[in-house]
């Protein structure tokens, strides 16, 4: 009787091992494809919800960050999820997505960029507006397809430069000067500034 029980137990354990070995081989192939497939799905998702056609070189981290912040209330002088203004949002994007610490005020940020025409804007460039003012009063981050992310009076949103309101007040595009990028990269306290920005 013991021999029969041992034989049954042995055959069950062999079947279990065989079942595991049969299931295991396809897994590596599936995981090898997963990052590319997932990356493609993420880009397709953001393309649909943001109205921007993401390319193979698009910065998914930028779109993920913007998406996570959409709907955050606007608060002048705010710097958190409870409320944020346009320049603080831009500063946060550059800190978290590009690992660069830029200035806090939209006019000061403009001093760090080289002007770019609307037709030459690239993903991650900055867009500046003079809304009811002779000086720069609003800033956003260009996403592509004439769309940009910003903290507007309605909260963090994605808007179009073709919109009559933003088209009327658009001032210039800007790309962070290489001199500032290099200076920020080489700054010994850049990492501590970034950690401070996270608080």
């Amino acid at each position: 009787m013991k021999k029969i029980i041992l034989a049954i137990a042995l055959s069950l354990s062999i079947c279990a091992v065989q079942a595991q070995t049969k299931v295991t081989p396809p897994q590596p192939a599936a995981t090898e494809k997963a990052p590319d497939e997932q990356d493609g799905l993420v880009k397709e998702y953001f393309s649909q919800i943001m109205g921007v056609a993401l390319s193979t070189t698009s910065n998914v981290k930028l779109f993920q960050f913007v998406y996570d912040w959409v709907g955050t209330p606007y608060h002048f002088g705010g710097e958190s999820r409870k409320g944020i203004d346009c320049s603080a949002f831009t500063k946060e994007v550059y800190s978290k997505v590009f690992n660069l610490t830029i200035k806090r005020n939209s006019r000061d940020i403009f001093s760090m960029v080289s002007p770019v025409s609307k037709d030459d804007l690239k993903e991650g460039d900055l867009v500046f507006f003079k809304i009811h003012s002779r000086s720069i009063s609003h800033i956003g981050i260009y996403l592509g397809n004439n769309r940009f992310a910003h903290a507007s009076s309605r909260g963090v949103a994605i808007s179009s430069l073709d919109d009559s309101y933003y088209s009327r007040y658009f001032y210039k595009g800007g790309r962070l000067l290489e001199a500032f990028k290099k200076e920020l990269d080489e700054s010994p306290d850049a990492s501590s500034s970034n950690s401070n920005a996270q608080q």
Side-chain angles (χ1 to χ4, degrees), residues 108-182:
D108 293 337
I109 295 169
F110 187 72
S111 71
M112 301 178 74
V113 304
S114 55
V116 176
S117 72
K118 195 186 280 190
D119 295 333
D120 292 327
L121 286 166
K122 293 180 181 175
E123 182 183 292
D125 282 345
L126 300 169
V127 285
F128 298 88
F129 302 85
K130 290 183 175 181
I131 300 175
H132 305 302
S133 173
R134 291 183 179 178
S135 57
I136 293 166
S137 58
H138 191 61
I139 186 173
I141 298 98
Y142 188 73
L143 299 174
N145 293 31
N146 271 354
R147 295 176 76 79
F148 67 101
H150 61 134
S152 71
S153 57
R154 295 168 297 153
V156 176
I158 297 163
S159 302
S160 174
L161 293 174
D162 295 329
D163 179 285
S164 59
Y165 180 81
Y166 292 110
S167 179
R168 185 185 327 142
Y169 294 114
F170 178 80
Y171 175 56
K172 282 182 182 173
R175 190 167 297 145
L176 198 63
L177 289 164
E178 288 302 319
F180 278 107
K181 281 187 185 178
K182 191 174 180 184

Side-chain angles (χ1 to χ4, degrees), residues 2 6 9 13 25 40 66 70 75 88 93 134 139 154 162 171 174 179 185 188:
K2 287 182 182 178
L6 280 172
S13 63
V66 168
V70 165
H75 180 69
V93 169
R134 291 183 179 178
I139 186 173
R154 295 168 297 153
D162 295 329
Y171 175 56
D185 288 341

Side-chain angles (χ1 to χ4, degrees), residues 57-66 89-102 109 122-127 140-144 149 174-176 178 180-182 184-186 190-191 194 197-198:
T57 58
S58 287
N59 185 337
V60 173
K61 190 176 178 182
L62 170 63
F63 288 88
Q64 178 70 59
F65 184 90
V66 168
F89 176 68
T90 303
K91 187 176 183 351
E92 191 72 4
V93 169
Y94 265 73
S95 172
K96 299 297 192 302
V97 176
F98 301 107
N99 297 316
L100 294 170
T101 302
I102 59 173
I109 295 169
K122 293 180 181 175
E123 182 183 292
D125 282 345
L126 300 169
V127 285
I141 298 98
Y142 188 73
L143 299 174
R175 190 167 297 145
L176 198 63
E178 288 302 319
F180 278 107
K181 281 187 185 178
K182 191 174 180 184
L184 292 166
D185 288 341
E186 291 174 355
S191 57
N194 283 337
Q198 291 172 8

Side-chain angles (χ1 to χ4, degrees), residues 69 72-73 78-84:
W69 277 77
T72 300
E79 298 181 337
S80 72
R81 299 267 185 177
K82 292 180 180 178
I84 197 164

